[in-house]
């Protein structure tokens, strides 16, 4: 069987029981088997049912991506594994908080760019701002790169959350 | 009964009884004393006191593999749990159902570096199918039942339940097994019927097919082996088995090609290499089987039947995957095959068998007989002649003796052969034999051992003495870590670095020290007498068979080589001798 060796980036959503150790199980699976994690987010999404949703962005050859999905599905507390990248259109978002320190023209310029990116100022002092921005990974990378020469001193980033378009749930 | 107040320990014991458990292999300690106290007051469960916790897990593995039931282990916190880790990993690699109860410090001390505290769920997460830490007594009964379900269903494996001491003594309520349903874990047992039909189509068209089957057939239960036999006979195709699959198809059957893989037969490996269709039932394309991946069975279409989705397309890309239990899928394959009344290409099949018979004629397991020295292969052939008509079970340690046992002992039925395949754990065989003997008190149980491996769990001779288990230890004593020595001879210029077993004990005296019978054979003409005496003794025996120290195990596919690059033994004049050449790439492989 012909298999391509090209490395692809996939966003995978995993619905799991919210129980102690579940994150360690998933992370241990990736490190133990040598899979990449580009980003990983997790939070409870259904308190009544004790379900958490993990969104993991990973990369690998098609065969490795299939393995990752099969290995995740095999974990006992996993309810569902969904490869958003292959299952149709979906939306990916990240949130960042960016701290820019400085005064004068650079400070004004940072505000201008923030406006273009529809960033919100969530904290400010005479010599600093904290911006909050949401968007795709690429947009946030661009924002960070623009802020760097303008006094960027700190970044905190959520990693990707994602959901399929259309009416159907996971 | 359910309404009476119970302690956590009582709930655990009741859950074990309701799960059909009869035997627990264990070792006490501070954290599990309440459970041992509750056990003292009941008669339904038998506890076998091992001499090291590692022995308990291997014993439970032997028990499980020879009965098809879940093996149960009970150990204390800290060192008790860490000693169990090798056995758990072994059970994970070989898909053996185990439930291992580990003691833990009380919940309020967890994380304080308390005496005999270890992060048992953290340590065992990668070496179990699943594990639990019970922090709330109301979860206890559910977790117990879930653990058994997870351990035995789907692809079986070990499950750990970590039990803080306060959970054992506190009040807990019982729930019967019927009321416990797993929320997320639902293994697929029935195969997709359309794919099964497609598989039959492929089988009908094949000209050079081969069945390649493994431990999944054994794990599915004895019915699956029967079905495999039926299907192989219906089709007339040849069949080879992995190390873990031995016994799933009768060794004496003319359609059996022997074991495949690194020390598999010439005919099995060349059939794999030359096939145009592989039908893999319950095997996992392990590197010991495939050899060099890019040269593995290059011209075949591949069907892979496995209960574990993650085994499919892991090492080898297959054309038709079927996820399901081996037994169920085999049953459906037989139905569809019969319904289609296929006309196979008789001429092509005849040519294929002619080719296979030519490979067989090489007689790859031939060896140069010894005049004054016992050849290990000869010792096993004589052993097999003596036991073949008796109800017997074989376990092994790890090394050359293990591979020779796989080659020269013949297995006609499943569940008769217990060996550490995936992990290759020296020290497995003696405790495993103990577990088998507990499950089958009347049967003949033999651990085929090496003198190095046997020392790794020799303390279990004391357990064997305590329970008067008539286990037979058949040591092929070459005074070397033979398999290490063989690799050093073939790959490292004969520099025998640390592979000579100096200062070995006198195994006859050692047997006697443990209340067993010690026997020794050092010349070929002593061998049959020693075997006879061993079998006639109704106590434990250690038979120290002094064999040729420098014998190598052939055929051998060196690491990183292809199936058709097999090294044949010096006894094979027709073939190319072991040329000792191994690729650089192969040198880094294990
Ligand atoms: C616990 C463990 N440690 C090391 C090894 C590596 N190893 C594989 S075979 C072997 C030698 C076994 O010697 P022996 O038991 O005498 O068997 P022989 O090969 O001589 O038949 C060793 C050290 C292993 N498999 N398991
Ligand atoms: Mg040896």
């Amino acid at each position: 069987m012909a298999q391509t060796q090209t490395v692809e980036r996939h966003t995978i959503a995993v619905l799991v029981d919210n129980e102690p150790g579940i994150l360690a199980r998933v992370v241990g699976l990736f490190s133990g088997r040598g899979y990449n994690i580009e980003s990983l987010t997790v939070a409870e999404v259904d308190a009544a049912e004790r379900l958490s949703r993990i969104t993991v962005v990973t990369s690998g050859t098609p065969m490795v991506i299939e393995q990752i999905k099969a290995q995740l599905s095999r974990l006992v507390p996993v309810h569902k594994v969904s490869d958003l990248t292959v299952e149709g259109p979906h939306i990916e978002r990240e949130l960042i908080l960016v701290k820019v320190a400085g005064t004068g023209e650079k400070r004004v310029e940072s505000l201008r760019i923030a406006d273009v990116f529809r960033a919100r100022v969530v904290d400010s002092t005479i010599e600093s701002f904290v911006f909050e921005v949401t968007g795709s990974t690429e947009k946030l990378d661009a924002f960070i790169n623009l802020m760097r020469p303008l006094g960027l001193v700190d970044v905190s980033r959520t990693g990707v959350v994602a959901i399929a378009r259309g009416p159907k749930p996971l | 009964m359910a309404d009476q107040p119970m302690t956590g320990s009582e709930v655990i014991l009741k859950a074990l009884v309701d799960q059909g458990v009869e035997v627990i292999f264990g070792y006490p300690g501070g954290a599990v004393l309440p459970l041992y106290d509750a056990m003292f007051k009941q008669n339904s469960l038998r506890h076998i006191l091992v001499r090291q916790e590692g022995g308990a897990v291997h014993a439970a593995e032997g028990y499980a593999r020879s009965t098809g039931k879940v093996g149960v282990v009970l150990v204390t916190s800290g060192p008790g749990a860490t000693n169990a880790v090798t056995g758990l990993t072994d059970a994970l690699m070989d898909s053996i159902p185990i439930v291992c109860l580990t003691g833990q410090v009380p919940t309020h001390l967890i994380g304080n570096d308390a005496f005999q505290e270890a992060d048992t769920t953290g340590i065992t997460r990668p070496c179990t199918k699943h594990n639990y830490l019970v922090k709330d007594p109301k979860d206890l009964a559910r977790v117990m039942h879930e653990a058994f379900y997870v351990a035995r269903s789907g692809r079986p494996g070990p499950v750990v339940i970590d039990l803080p001491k306060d959970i054992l003594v506190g009040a807990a309520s019982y729930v019967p097994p019927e009321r416990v349903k797993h929320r997320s874990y639902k293994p697929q047992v029935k195969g997709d019927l359309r794919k099964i039909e497609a598989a039959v189509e492929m089988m009908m068209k094949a000209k050079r097919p081969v069945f390649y089957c493994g431990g999944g057939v054994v794990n599915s239960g004895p019915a699956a082996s029967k079905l495999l036999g039926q299907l192989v006979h219906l089709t007339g195709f040849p069949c080879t088995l992995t190390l873990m699959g031995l016994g799933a198809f009768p060794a004496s059957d003319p359609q059996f090609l022997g074991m495949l893989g690194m020390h598999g037969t010439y005919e099995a490996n060349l059939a794999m290499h030359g096939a145009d269709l592989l039908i893999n039932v319950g095997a996992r394309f392990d590197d010991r089987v495939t050899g060099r991946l890019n040269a593995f069975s290059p011209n075949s279409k591949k069907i892979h039947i496995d209960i574990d989705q993650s085994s499919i397309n892991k090492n080898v890309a297959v054309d038709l995957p079927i996820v399901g239990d081996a037994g169920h899928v085999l049953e459906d394959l037989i139905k569809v095959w019969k319904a289609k009344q296929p006309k196979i290409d008789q001429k092509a099949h005849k040519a294929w068998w002619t080719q296979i018979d030519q490979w067989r004629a090489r007689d790859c397991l031939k060896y140069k007989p010894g005049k004054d020295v016992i050849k290990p292969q000869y010792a096993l052939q004589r052993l097999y002649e003596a036991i073949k008509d008796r109800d017997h079970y074989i376990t092994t340690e790890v090394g050359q003796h293990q591979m020779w046992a796989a080659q020269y002992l013949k297995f006609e039925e499943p569940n008769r052969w217990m060996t550490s395949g995936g992990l290759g754990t020296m020290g497995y065989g003696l405790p495993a034999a103990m577990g088998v003997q507990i499950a089958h008190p009347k049967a003949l149980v033999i651990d085929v051992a090496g003198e190095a491996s046997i020392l790794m769990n020799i303390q279990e001779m004391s357990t064997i003495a305590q329970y008067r288990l008539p286990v037979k230890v058949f040591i092929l004593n070459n005074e070397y870590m033979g398999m290490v020595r063989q690799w050093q001879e073939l790959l490292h210029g004969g520099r025998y670095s640390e592979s000579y077993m100096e200062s070995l004990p006198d195994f006859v005296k050692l047997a006697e020290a443990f209340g067993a019978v010690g026997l020794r054979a050092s010349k070929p003409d002593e061998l049959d007498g020693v075997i006879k005496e061993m079998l006639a003794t109704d106590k434990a025996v250690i038979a120290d068979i002094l064999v040729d120290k420098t014998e190598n195990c052939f055929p051998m596919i060196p690491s990183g080589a292809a199936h058709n690059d097999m090294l044949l033994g010096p006894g094979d004049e027709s073939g190319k001798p072991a040329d000792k050449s191994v690729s650089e790439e192969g040198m880094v492989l294990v």
Side-chain angles (χ1 to χ4, degrees):
Chain A
M1 247 175 81
Q3 284 279 330
T4 61
Q5 286 303 308
T6 47
V7 171
E8 299 170 356
R9 182 172 180 273
H10 284 239
T11 303
I12 296 171
V14 192
L15 205 59
V16 299
D17 276 334
N18 182 13
E19 59 174 41
I22 179 63
L23 191 59
R25 244 177 250 290
V26 171
V27 172
L29 169 67
F30 275 77
S31 63
R33 293 187 183 268
Y35 307 143
N36 287 321
I37 298 181
E38 289 184 10
S39 126
L40 186 140
T41 63
V42 57
E44 188 169 72
V45 290
D46 186 338
E49 287 288 313
R50 292 185 297 112
L51 290 176
S52 289
R53 181 166 169 140
I54 296 173
T55 308
V56 53
V57 180
T58 183
S59 56
T61 62
M63 209 159 149
V64 168
I65 299 286
E66 284 311 308
Q67 261 301 298
I68 291 173
K69 289 186 275 184
Q71 293 289 354
L72 283 169
S73 309
R74 179 163 100 116
L75 295 177
V76 168
V78 166
H79 288 253
K80 196 158 198 291
V81 176
S82 179
D83 185 345
L84 296 172
T85 302
V86 298
E87 281 165 24
H90 68 282
I91 299 149
E92 288 187 17
R93 287 290 180 275
E94 274 193 81
L95 182 149
I96 44 169
L97 297 172
V98 176
K99 186 175 287 183
V100 178
T103 52
E105 186 48 37
K106 282 189 177 169
R107 181 173 162 84
V108 179
E109 182 62 18
S110 75
L111 256 188
R112 236 180 260 134
I113 290 173
D115 195 42
V116 173
F117 277 78
R118 278 184 243 143
R120 294 205 300 148
V121 177
V122 288
D123 178 69
S124 76
T125 67
I126 304 283
E127 49 188 351
S128 71
F129 289 121
V130 174
F131 297 112
E132 174 197 308
V133 200
T134 57
S136 67
T137 299
E138 295 73 32
K139 171 177 162 181
L140 301 190
D141 286 346
F143 184 75
I144 290 169
N145 284 336
L146 287 170
M147 286 299 166
R148 227 178 276 277
L150 301 178
L152 180 144
V153 291
D154 207 1
V155 179
S156 180
R157 196 163 176 163
T158 58
V160 172
V161 293
I163 204 159
R165 288 187 185 272
K168 280 228 295 281
L170 185 67
Chain B
M1 183 67 202
D3 304 315
Q4 274 173 12
M6 291 169 89
T7 65
S9 297
E10 286 164 349
V11 165
I12 291 167
L13 295 183
K14 182 155 174 55
L16 291 174
V17 171
D18 285 356
Q19 286 292 340
V21 175
E22 291 165 2
V23 186
I24 303 174
F25 299 91
Y27 205 93
V32 285
L33 283 181
L35 198 44
Y36 273 87
D37 197 44
M39 209 152 46
F40 194 78
K41 301 173 190 157
Q42 58 81 50
N43 284 317
S44 321
L45 295 162
R46 183 170 179 213
H47 180 273
I48 304 295
L49 178 66
V50 298
R51 296 301 185 267
Q52 208 260 24
E53 290 85 353
V57 189
H58 294 320
E61 287 185 274
Y63 181 92
R65 202 157 175 83
S66 67
T67 59
K69 294 196 230 168
V70 177
V72 180
V73 178
L74 169 57
V75 299
T76 193
S77 65
T82 54
N83 272 349
V85 164
T86 300
L88 293 169
T89 312
D90 193 89
L92 183 72
M93 294 288 268
D94 285 346
S95 311
I96 313 290
I98 299 287
V99 168
C100 176
L101 309 175
T102 56
Q104 183 54 279
V105 301
T107 36
H108 70 274
L109 284 182
I110 289 179
N112 281 24
D113 298 325
F115 178 64
Q116 294 198 327
E117 179 182 0
D119 175 7
T120 300
T121 44
I123 292 170
T124 60
R125 204 170 280 127
C127 65
T128 52
K129 179 170 173 185
H130 194 52
N131 64 15
Y132 300 87
L133 169 63
V134 181
K135 280 182 147 172
D136 186 338
K138 78 173 188 329
D139 295 334
L140 187 55
R142 175 185 58 81
V143 165
M144 287 293 296
H145 297 312
E146 264 190 31
F148 274 85
Y149 173 65
V150 169
R152 72 170 160 252
S153 63
R155 178 174 175 179
V159 177
V160 161
I161 308 176
D162 204 22
L163 298 160
K165 195 169 181 180
D166 51 323
I167 299 289
L168 298 181
V169 293
S173 54
Y174 188 68
V175 198
E178 312 79 73
R179 297 235 306 270
V180 174
K181 278 237 160 52
H182 203 278
R183 272 160 56 90
S184 54
Y185 176 70
K186 293 176 190 80
Q188 181 177 346
V189 290
K190 286 292 275 180
D192 179 342
L193 213 56
R194 275 167 320 187
K195 289 191 167 179
I196 289 171
E197 301 218 345
V200 170
E201 293 289 335
M202 286 163 79
M203 286 160 66
M204 283 160 54
K205 286 191 205 118
K207 294 184 192 316
R208 298 184 311 279
V210 59
F211 280 101
Y212 146 49
C213 308
V217 180
V218 179
N219 272 335
S220 173
S225 295
K226 288 243 159 58
L227 291 164
L228 174 65
Q230 278 180 33
L231 185 63
V232 173
H233 289 152
L234 264 178
T235 56
F237 298 173
C239 176
T240 175
L241 295 171
T242 67
L243 182 71
M244 297 310 293
L246 295 179
F249 186 76
S252 58
D253 194 289
Q255 281 169 255
F256 185 52
L257 303 183
M259 180 175 77
L260 82 165
M262 185 174 271
H263 293 290
T265 65
Y266 188 68
E267 51 271 31
N269 286 330
L270 286 193
M272 291 291 284
H273 195 80
D276 72 344
L277 178 68
L278 296 190
I279 308 138
N280 171 343
V281 190
R284 59 185 176 90
F285 294 106
D286 174 77
D287 54 80
R288 278 294 179 278
V289 156
T290 60
R292 194 168 88 232
L293 269 179
N294 61 9
F296 171 69
S297 194
N299 301 313
S300 64
K301 290 242 184 280
K302 297 170 184 76
I303 300 171
H304 188 182
I305 299 160
D306 204 299
I307 198 156
D308 179 4
Q309 166 96 51
S310 75
S311 284
I312 288 169
N313 289 332
K314 181 172 63 182
N315 306 330
V316 171
V318 298
D319 301 274
L320 181 66
I322 302 177
V323 177
D325 174 73
H328 280 96
V329 176
L330 284 166
E331 192 176 358
D332 287 339
L333 278 171
I334 290 171
K335 268 194 214 141
V336 175
W337 180 275
K338 280 184 174 162
K340 295 209 184 215
Q341 297 193 317
K343 288 205 179 38
I344 57 168
D345 183 342
Q346 296 291 354
K347 224 176 105 196
H349 282 253
K350 203 154 165 255
W352 181 224
W353 274 110
T354 306
Q355 169 69 79
I356 288 171
D357 286 337
Q358 278 167 13
W359 290 329
R360 269 181 175 160
R362 288 285 282 270
D363 195 9
C364 68
L365 295 180
K366 196 169 55 192
Y367 56 92
K368 283 217 178 94
K371 260 220 314 280
D372 305 320
V373 56
I374 302 173
K375 289 281 178 175
Q377 302 95 322
Y378 178 71
L380 288 168
Q381 282 177 323
R382 298 310 301 163
L383 178 68
Y384 185 67
E385 283 307 309
I387 64 171
K388 66 179 181 195
D389 297 324
R390 291 181 56 170
D391 182 23
H392 67 268
Y393 294 81
I394 304 289
T395 72
T396 75
E397 306 292 336
V398 171
Q400 291 178 317
H401 63 276
Q402 175 192 30
M403 292 298 115
W404 283 318
Q407 293 173 333
Y408 292 91
L409 303 178
K410 308 290 165 198
F411 297 92
E412 299 294 313
E413 288 172 32
N415 305 101
R416 299 282 172 161
W417 162 249
M418 316 334 110
T419 195
S420 171
L423 197 63
T425 312
M426 290 169 71
Y428 166 90
L430 184 63
M434 210 162 82
V436 176
Q437 190 82 73
I438 295 281
H440 309 274
K442 295 261 181 305
L444 172 64
V445 182
I446 303 176
D447 172 25
V448 174
E451 80 297 333
S453 296
I454 194 67
L455 291 179
M456 286 221 178
N457 271 321
I458 194 70
Q459 78 286 347
E460 297 308 328
M461 284 303 294
S462 172
T463 312
I464 285 171
Q466 180 177 347
Y467 298 95
R468 298 176 205 286
L469 303 174
V471 166
K472 312 290 187 264
V473 183
F474 193 72
I475 303 180
L476 297 178
N477 186 345
N478 51 12
E479 295 182 12
Y480 271 112
M481 297 171 197
M483 192 56 94
V484 173
R485 193 203 53 73
Q486 174 167 350
W487 280 48
Q488 289 172 332
E489 178 186 331
L490 298 179
L491 307 174
H492 295 278
R495 293 178 294 282
Y496 300 123
S497 179
E498 304 293 326
S499 55
Y500 183 66
M501 290 302 294
E502 280 189 78
S503 306
L504 283 167
D506 178 332
F507 284 106
V508 173
K509 286 194 187 142
L510 187 70
E512 285 159 6
F514 281 113
V517 172
L519 303 172
R520 178 171 294 129
S522 46
K523 295 265 168 321
D525 57 8
E526 295 164 3
L527 183 63
D528 284 349
V530 163
I531 291 174
K532 201 166 161 209
E533 196 176 340
M534 175 179 91
L535 299 181
T537 307
D538 57 5
K539 306 172 43 163
V541 175
I542 295 182
D544 186 21
I545 313 296
L546 305 184
V547 297
D548 190 342
K549 296 178 195 194
T550 55
E551 189 70 13
N552 285 335
C553 184
F554 292 113
M556 176 177 182
I557 303 175
S559 291
H563 277 175
N564 57 346
D565 264 338
M566 226 171 311
L567 305 182
L568 291 167
D572 182 279
E573 281 92 30
S574 55
K576 67 170 182 188
D579 67 0
K580 307 181 186 190
S581 66
V582 168
S583 69
E584 229 169 89
E585 211 183 328
M587 286 291 286
V588 303
L589 296 174
V590 183

